[in-house]
Amino acid sequence: MVDTAEDNFRIEVWDREEKTHLETICRSPDAVVSQAAWHAAIRRRPGMLLIHYNSRHVMEKIITPGEVKVPPQTIIDGSIHAGLDVALGDLRSWHTLRAWCTTCSHHAEVKPASLIKRYGKEALFSSVERALFCTSCKKGGPVRLEVHSMPRN
């Protein structure tokens, strides 16, 4: 991926030895947006090494407080984002949800409003996924929630 002027600020997650790049959390041309993402990343990535860049220059580097958790996976627009655990309240009006059964591959659209009503805005995807089950195979096997963006016309 080639960096452009629009990608000046970015936040990356690395292993503690700084040998393996795990993910890029945010790319933004706006310093204020990048700072907000930096503070959110510190809260949401306990025990991880975070590096905040302005182009090639390191602005901040920290091992966040807390214990490293086994990262959940959230699928957003077809891409798997390891370590990202989204709260239902983080969804926007243009997001749609699809639940996939990992046992039989059955999938169905899920209304975010119904999940929020049942579990609350603060419920994380990882906890909601554990409560869901497939209506096709009736197994309590793992169900994954995918977030997709509706086209904005």
Side-chain angles (χ1 to χ4, degrees):
M1 174 181 265
V2 177
D3 286 343
T4 65
E6 291 81 31
D7 300 337
N8 281 347
F9 299 97
R10 73 183 183 283
I11 300 167
E12 295 180 351
V13 180
W14 289 76
D15 66 350
R16 284 181 179 243
E17 293 78 33
E18 205 171 333
K19 293 185 180 185
T20 306
H21 175 251
L22 302 174
E23 69 177 310
T24 300
I25 295 176
C26 173
R27 288 182 179 272
S28 175
D30 189 315
V32 175
V33 170
S34 187
Q35 278 297 326
W38 174 253
H39 293 293
I42 290 171
R43 289 190 308 273
R44 290 193 170 205
R45 301 295 193 289
M48 303 299 287
L49 173 62
L50 299 180
I51 304 174
H52 194 185
Y53 291 96
N54 179 355
S55 189
R56 295 186 320 256
H57 307 287
V58 175
M59 294 177 4
E60 301 170 274
K61 184 190 285 190
I62 185 175
I63 295 180
T64 58
E67 295 295 318
V68 176
K69 297 179 182 175
V70 175
Q73 293 182 340
T74 300
I75 300 174
I76 300 177
D77 289 332
S79 300
I80 295 177
H81 296 268
L84 179 66
D85 202 4
V86 178
L88 293 176
D90 293 338
L91 297 173
R92 300 293 174 248
S93 60
W94 57 84
H95 289 132
T96 60
L97 291 178
R98 183 179 301 148
W100 284 88
C101 175
T102 58
T103 304
C104 71
S105 296
H106 176 255
H107 62 277
E109 294 293 322
V110 180
K111 294 180 180 175
S114 63
L115 292 178
I116 289 171
K117 185 177 178 182
R118 184 172 187 163
Y119 300 105
K121 285 185 173 188
E122 299 302 316
L124 299 176
F125 272 37
S126 56
S127 60
V128 172
E129 287 173 336
R130 285 192 297 272
L132 298 176
F133 65 93
C134 179
T135 57
S136 179
C137 68
K138 307 287 188 212
K139 294 185 179 180
V143 172
R144 288 280 178 225
L145 288 174
E146 291 184 356
V147 180
H148 295 273
S149 297
M150 293 187 306
R152 292 188 244 172
N153 297 348

